């Protein structure tokens, strides 16, 4: 899933977030990858095809990471 997120503070830049159903995400600003997190490939109890919950959790984590950035400089 891809969506845009605008930081609450700072200069209000809009970041592109891409998440998948396995819990991985990437944050981009002006086509430049600022942060990429890759989920573990497998663990006990992990759904084989991923889940909407893992996707939603990854989206929330990405938003928290954007809010934690010290500056809006790209």
């Amino acid at each position: 899933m891809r969506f845009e997120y605008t930081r609450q503070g700072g200069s209000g830049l809009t970041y592109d977030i891409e998440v998948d159903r396995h819990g991985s995400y990437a944050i981009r600003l002006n086509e430049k990858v600022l942060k990429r997190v890759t989920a573990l490939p497998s663990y006990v109890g992990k759904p084989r095809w991923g889940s909407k919950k893992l996707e939603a959790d990854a989206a929330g984590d990405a938003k928290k990471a954007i809010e934690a950035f010290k500056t809006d400089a790209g």
Side-chain angles (χ1 to χ4, degrees), residues 9 13 23 48 55 60:
L13 295 175
R48 182 174 185 169
E55 185 177 40

Side-chain angles (χ1 to χ4, degrees), residues 20-23 41-42 45-55:
D20 67 17
R21 289 191 170 226
H22 297 284
S42 65
K46 180 177 182 183
R48 182 174 185 169
W49 305 113
S51 70
K52 289 182 180 180
K53 181 180 181 337
L54 288 173
E55 185 177 40

Side-chain angles (χ1 to χ4, degrees), residues 13-29:
L13 295 175
T14 300
Y15 297 85
D16 295 317
I17 300 173
E18 182 178 353
V19 299
D20 67 17
R21 289 191 170 226
H22 297 284
S24 300
Y25 66 86
I27 301 171
R28 292 183 174 87
L29 179 62

Side-chain angles (χ1 to χ4, degrees), residues 2 5-6 9 11-12 16 18 22 28-29 32 37 44 56 67:
R2 281 188 152 174
Y5 180 75
T6 302
S11 62
D16 295 317
E18 182 178 353
H22 297 284
R28 292 183 174 87
L29 179 62
K32 179 181 177 187
V37 175
V44 175
E67 294 297 331

